[in-house]
Amino acid sequence: MHASQMAQLITILEKASISWPVPAVTGVARNGASPFQILVATLISLRTRDAVTGNACHKLFQHASSPRQMLALGSPRIARLIHPASFSPTKAKRLVDISHILLEKHEAAVPDTMEALLLLPGVGRKTANLVLVEAFGKPGLCVDTHVHRISNRLGLVTTCSAEHTETVLRTTVPQQYWKPYSELLAVFGQKICTPRSPLCSDCPAASLCNTWDIRKNKAIPGKS
């Protein structure tokens, strides 16, 4: 696939995604969450299934939806509220640490720049990009493991890391497609283009994929 075919890919995936669930953080944002809640949801979502993330956020936000309220809860109670999200004690401590920083250095507001977000504990480029996109409506490429894997399978990149994938995509994919591409692939990678045994024969985008040989109607050996 070539980057010039991005509009075609987005159209195909948007039609297919009608029956797919909305990514957890996107769902939180669409429900009118504040930038702080979106940041919290993004951190909880790391290495955690969307259904678990959604439930954890719902429970936590009933008790705390601001940095000051988060500090009042304390990390042990936060950990209990967001369980069974993965690494809940570690995430709870980070939420407390971040709340301290936001109160002390940002007047309780979430910063809206990549540079400032990356200074927060536990915030990497994927998290920062997602916050910029969902909380502030800024352009961002959220490259998680699914976006990294599928971008390589499609032939859009030939990279060994998510950060390298983001760098290449930023130079080849028009900015208008960054958000839908990241959002759609996050679920597409769970439903169809899975890490192991991808459902290539059921893939709506197979005709655009470098890993799929339409003529032979089978995956090309060595390109999974």
Side-chain angles (χ1 to χ4, degrees), residues 8-221:
Q8 185 180 353
L9 175 67
I10 296 298
T11 298
I12 290 171
L13 294 183
E14 283 179 339
K15 289 180 180 178
S17 69
I18 293 175
S19 61
W20 298 349
V22 174
V25 177
T26 301
V28 168
R30 289 180 182 177
N31 284 331
S34 67
F36 179 70
Q37 289 174 309
I38 291 171
L39 172 60
V40 170
T42 304
L43 289 167
I44 292 174
S45 74
L46 298 174
R47 297 188 181 181
T48 300
R49 291 184 293 108
D50 278 353
V52 174
T53 297
N55 289 334
C57 290
H58 177 71
K59 289 191 294 183
L60 180 59
F61 294 156
Q62 288 181 319
H63 299 274
S65 58
S66 70
R68 200 172 301 280
Q69 291 172 340
M70 201 69 69
L71 287 180
L73 280 183
S75 58
R77 191 174 181 195
I78 293 172
R80 290 194 297 271
L81 287 168
I82 66 175
H83 181 79
S86 61
F87 310 107
S88 53
T90 299
K91 290 177 180 178
K93 184 180 183 303
R94 283 178 177 169
L95 291 177
V96 168
D97 291 342
I98 286 173
S99 295
H100 271 298
I101 293 171
L102 295 182
L103 286 166
E104 293 175 0
K105 297 184 178 181
H106 300 281
E107 299 181 345
V110 175
D112 63 352
T113 66
M114 174 66 73
E115 294 73 19
L117 286 168
L118 290 176
L119 294 176
L120 299 176
V123 174
R125 289 196 61 87
K126 175 206 164 185
T127 297
N129 272 305
L130 192 51
V131 171
L132 291 175
V133 169
E134 297 293 0
F136 301 107
K138 292 189 173 185
L141 260 170
C142 309
V143 180
D144 64 2
T145 181
H146 298 298
V147 176
H148 169 59
R149 178 181 70 255
I150 299 169
S151 295
N152 274 276
R153 285 177 175 174
L154 288 170
L156 284 169
V157 300
T158 304
T159 57
C160 296
S161 70
E163 187 168 335
H164 189 192
T165 295
E166 181 192 342
T167 299
V168 175
L169 291 177
R170 280 179 175 272
T171 64
T172 57
V173 175
Q175 196 175 97
Q176 69 194 85
Y177 299 121
W178 289 3
K179 184 178 188 294
Y181 181 72
S182 301
E183 195 172 291
L184 288 165
L185 261 60
V187 183
F188 180 60
Q190 300 174 49
K191 295 291 184 180
I192 304 293
C193 200
T194 53
R196 296 182 180 181
S197 302
L199 306 178
C200 296
S201 59
D202 296 326
C203 178
S207 62
L208 299 176
C209 184
N210 280 17
T211 308
W212 182 252
D213 185 346
I214 296 299
R215 181 175 59 81
K216 295 181 179 179
N217 199 36
K218 63 180 180 181
I220 300 173

